[in-house]
Amino acid sequence: MTRDKDDFPVLVAQAGILNGQRWMLNRAVIIGRDASCEVIIADRQISRFHARIMPSSSGIILEDLGSKNGTFCNGHKVDSSVVLQDGDVIQVALVQPFTYMSSDATLPLTEPTESEESVKLRLHLDKRSHRVWVRQQELIPPLSVPQFKLLQVLFEKRDQVISRDLLVDAIWGSDQAEGVSEEALDALVRRLRDRLKEIDPSHTYILTVRGFGLRLDNPIVKK
């Protein structure tokens, strides 16, 4: 039986010089500066043959090919290889960000339009591509997976106070939640606040409601 092309996983360039381009991962894909690579990034920080993404019996594998400036998955340097999961954020030498999608069918085909209510908000995110915009400026490099999960929970329940326990479960999963300390959540919140301040230092998006939890202050932008 022929497999539908929408069933294949894809690699999607997020921002950078390749913004919006995508590659089907039905075979090995080499990322690098050399003209023979499937994904060519014309930047001197990129090695000629920098990284490889390929199907295997374990799933889709990301490998660094001994590059000078490294390959990163969800903010962690790839020393050998990792099995990619849906929504993983890949950074090649911190120059070009990509998002791994387990199926082309889940890929957002267009940018949000101005008519959509969410774009009127001061902060907007797309959970399918793991992209975040603050005052219509995209946050680059992308957030780490835990940072994005935290922001997504708060974004989807805007102006509601979310308890710390619910946030920990959403970010780390109920199986690991018991081992997560208060300090770990505080550190994650602090890093996320710092990232948002890079674009909009005049507004505090994540508010602490003492004794209850956290709330996202995400007002509608008035034109």
Side-chain angles (χ1 to χ4, degrees), residues 159-179:
D159 293 330
Q160 297 182 36
V161 178
I162 311 301
S163 72
R164 296 173 68 89
D165 288 343
L166 286 177
L167 289 171
V168 169
D169 283 346
I171 297 164
W172 283 281
S174 56
D175 292 340
Q176 301 182 37
E178 291 186 4

Side-chain angles (χ1 to χ4, degrees), residues 131-168:
R131 299 170 71 181
V132 177
W133 294 263
V134 179
R135 307 203 76 167
Q136 299 186 19
Q137 180 178 341
E138 187 171 0
L139 197 61
I140 300 295
L143 296 176
S144 68
V145 171
Q147 290 170 357
F148 188 87
K149 286 182 178 179
L150 169 59
L151 185 59
Q152 181 182 345
V153 174
L154 296 172
F155 179 82
E156 292 177 346
K157 297 184 180 297
R158 181 171 65 99
D159 293 330
Q160 297 182 36
V161 178
I162 311 301
S163 72
R164 296 173 68 89
D165 288 343
L166 286 177
L167 289 171
V168 169

Side-chain angles (χ1 to χ4, degrees), residues 106-120:
T106 64
L107 181 68
L109 299 179
T110 60
E111 297 283 356
T113 64
E114 289 295 329
S115 62
E116 293 178 5
E117 180 181 356
S118 58
V119 179
K120 298 177 183 177

